[in-house]
Amino acid sequence: FFQMIRRPPRSTQSRSSAASDVYKRQKPNIASGQITEVPRKKGANPPTYFKMNDFTWPFQEIVNTYGIPRYREVNPGLFTIVTFPFQFGVMFGDIGHGGALFLFALYLCLKREEIQKGGSFLTMILIVRWLLLFMGFFALYAGFIYNDFLSLPWNLFGSCYENHESHSGESIAKKIEDCVYPFGLDPKWYIASNELTFFNSLKMKLAVVIGVCHMLLGIFLKSLNCLHFSNYMDFFFEFVPQILFMCSTFGYMVICIFVKWATPWDLDPASAGPHPPSIISVFIDFALKAGDASENQLWDFKNGGRSQTNLQFTLLIIAAICIPVMLIPKPLILYFKMQNHHPPAPTQNQQNQIKAPLLESDSQNQKEEEEHEEEHNFGEVVVHSLIETIEFVLGTISNTASYLRLWALSLAHAQLAKVFFEKTIGSGIASGSFLSIFVGYMIFVNVTFFVLMCMDLMECFLHALRLHWVEFQNKFYKADGYKFNPFSFVTAMTAETTSA
């Protein structure tokens, strides 16, 4: 996880300096090179170096565009290899569109040398071929999960629902007992009257689950940074309360989602059995009614949801305690450290050296600067702690809501594909005219390519980029490093010529 640069050992530098001194004494009339060790400024970090190849370059470039990782900091590029194309696939999920993108990227990977020799326009996108391959793969995978091929479902495993006529003559689909659809969604949902309601609920909950897991990963990576740099104060007063706050609030919401999915609810409004509560209502009562679950019960129905109420009240207390823990201890600890810090008394040689007025003036100015820097650093810590606490608590809500774009763009992609099909090929089939079907097919292909395969692809890419830059990386990523650029006479001479 941690990137580092090897520097020559201090013994090697000492031997080089000694050899240079001996050469000067033996041949003082001949000019020789000089080796000077430039001390590193206090607080300055070394540059960061990445050894990359064709596969890792596009994913690392996504991270570097936001900011270069600090020296030895956890590199988000490793996790971006999986999380970025996966979140893109959730939004772009379609068997047809994802399969087309996957096959196109696979062609670029297999025919790379031939494309380079041919000099076609595809040469420009060869560098991102592995990124496109992963994006296409996860879009294809999500398409199979949604069972969506250009807005049409595939009946691969039959259906777990049977049609029955009600007393009013309407057709009602009832689930076959003990039937579990093997993979993805049952195609029967695509012809149900509540199709849009079902897909809205499913994709919204999936977006929340993916978002919370992604943010928990970011907070966990913060703990690795703290432990690696031996920053135990940030570990105990930033990571621990943050992970507890996230798990006791939106982590609990994820648990509620899975509990609701796994519970066999009675869907008949007239029956006395337990009815499925809204997750939003459960969470509102959790926050505003001190965890009271009497009106929205997910379990413990016989006791009126007493165990659920006790659990929610406990989690609410934990979340409330985490806020002052993030805000108060760290500035106080730094304040007492500064109060107990006393500079060492100067030695006799140092006292003799500062007798000169100029040196005495410089020493006084340096002392004043150090005191001012300590006060300034303490003030910065207080303000930073306050801002970070407010940002994390409010950002927990806003960031979770931001992941709902996974649901929104997935739904928009599916509905656009459905409208394009119905208004072009679908209307041609309904008319029964071969000419209408042919014209509709040509319009469908062109609109699908330019709107969905170009515009919507870029839109899903940008939204996945935003989720990584803002919602994920702000949990642990400093991004204040700088790249390692090896010395080159050609580069130096070119820069000198350009400046002249």
Side-chain angles (χ1 to χ4, degrees), residues 5 46-50 68 481-489 491-492:
I5 299 172
T48 308
Y49 172 73
F50 299 101
I68 306 298
Y482 58 99
K483 280 186 178 181
F484 169 71
N485 294 316
F487 177 77
S488 170
F489 285 104
T491 304

Side-chain angles (χ1 to χ4, degrees), residues 284-483:
I284 290 175
D285 291 347
F286 167 74
L288 300 182
K289 295 185 178 181
D292 183 24
S294 58
E295 298 180 1
N296 297 285
Q297 302 172 22
L298 286 168
W299 67 85
D300 196 13
F301 305 107
K302 295 181 180 180
N303 298 321
R306 184 181 304 171
S307 62
Q308 182 182 346
T309 299
N310 295 335
L311 175 61
Q312 292 182 169
F313 181 75
T314 304
L315 294 177
L316 189 63
I317 295 299
I318 293 175
I321 294 175
C322 289
I323 296 176
V325 172
M326 286 187 283
L327 180 62
I328 299 174
K330 185 177 177 180
L332 289 179
I333 293 174
L334 292 176
Y335 174 76
F336 287 117
K337 279 186 177 180
M338 292 177 182
Q339 291 295 322
N340 297 329
H341 173 71
H342 296 285
T347 61
Q348 185 65 33
N349 293 334
Q350 291 175 339
Q351 291 179 358
N352 295 334
Q353 291 176 356
I354 62 175
K355 287 182 179 180
L358 181 60
L359 294 180
E360 185 177 356
S361 176
D362 291 343
S363 177
Q364 183 67 23
N365 292 338
Q366 183 179 1
K367 183 178 180 181
E368 292 177 358
E369 289 178 0
E370 290 178 355
E371 292 177 355
H372 180 268
E373 183 180 358
E374 287 185 358
E375 296 175 358
H376 182 65
N377 288 341
F378 174 70
E380 281 186 349
V381 169
V382 174
V383 174
H384 177 74
S385 180
L386 179 63
I387 293 175
E388 191 173 83
T389 303
I390 296 174
E391 181 184 8
F392 180 81
V393 174
L394 298 180
T396 302
I397 304 172
S398 62
N399 291 348
T400 305
S402 183
Y403 278 95
L404 293 178
R405 69 187 68 233
L406 298 174
W407 151 63
L409 268 77
S410 173
L411 193 67
H413 183 93
Q415 292 301 309
L416 280 175
K418 183 178 181 180
V419 170
F420 292 162
F421 180 83
E422 291 179 350
K423 298 301 181 182
T424 55
I425 299 178
S427 60
I429 295 175
S431 66
S433 171
F434 175 78
L435 181 61
S436 299
I437 296 176
F438 178 76
V439 174
Y441 173 77
M442 296 304 297
I443 296 175
F444 175 76
V445 170
N446 285 276
V447 172
T448 299
F449 176 76
F450 287 106
V451 176
L452 294 179
M453 295 300 296
C454 294
M455 294 175 60
D456 194 53
L457 187 147
M458 182 58 65
E459 183 181 12
C460 294
F461 179 90
L462 294 176
H463 280 282
L465 196 66
R466 182 250 156 72
L467 289 177
H468 280 74
W469 282 359
V470 179
E471 277 71 29
F472 173 59
Q473 292 180 180
N474 71 349
K475 299 293 185 295
F476 68 98
Y477 190 43
K478 300 299 182 182
D480 56 357
Y482 58 99
K483 280 186 178 181

Side-chain angles (χ1 to χ4, degrees), residues 1-2 63 66 69-70 73-80 83 214-226 229 234 238-239 242 388 392 403 467-480:
F1 299 150
F2 304 96
V63 175
Y66 178 82
R70 182 183 292 184
E73 182 184 20
V74 171
N75 180 18
L78 176 64
F79 308 93
T80 304
T83 58
H214 200 211
M215 289 187 290
L216 285 175
L217 173 62
I219 299 175
F220 173 73
L221 294 180
K222 183 173 189 174
S223 70
L224 297 183
N225 276 334
C226 295
F229 292 108
D234 285 353
E238 287 189 10
F239 162 71
Q242 285 179 4
E388 191 173 83
F392 180 81
Y403 278 95
L467 289 177
H468 280 74
W469 282 359
V470 179
E471 277 71 29
F472 173 59
Q473 292 180 180
N474 71 349
K475 299 293 185 295
F476 68 98
Y477 190 43
K478 300 299 182 182
D480 56 357

Side-chain angles (χ1 to χ4, degrees), residues 28-81:
N29 58 329
I30 299 178
S32 61
Q34 296 182 355
I35 300 177
T36 305
E37 182 179 357
V38 180
R40 192 176 67 185
K41 293 182 179 179
K42 183 180 180 181
N45 289 321
T48 308
Y49 172 73
F50 299 101
K51 186 177 181 180
M52 294 182 290
N53 51 34
D54 289 348
F55 175 76
T56 58
W57 182 87
F59 300 100
Q60 187 62 51
E61 198 63 22
I62 290 174
V63 175
N64 292 351
T65 305
Y66 178 82
I68 306 298
R70 182 183 292 184
Y71 179 68
R72 289 189 175 182
E73 182 184 20
V74 171
N75 180 18
L78 176 64
F79 308 93
T80 304
I81 295 175

Side-chain angles (χ1 to χ4, degrees), residues 205 209 249-263 265 277-280 282-283 286 296 298-299 308 311-312 315:
K205 291 180 175 64
V209 172
T249 53
F250 288 96
Y252 173 68
M253 176 184 277
V254 171
I255 295 176
C256 291
I257 290 173
F258 284 105
V259 170
K260 184 177 179 180
W261 280 345
T263 303
W265 302 98
S278 171
I279 298 295
I280 299 297
V282 172
F283 206 68
F286 167 74
N296 297 285
L298 286 168
W299 67 85
Q308 182 182 346
L311 175 61
Q312 292 182 169
L315 294 177

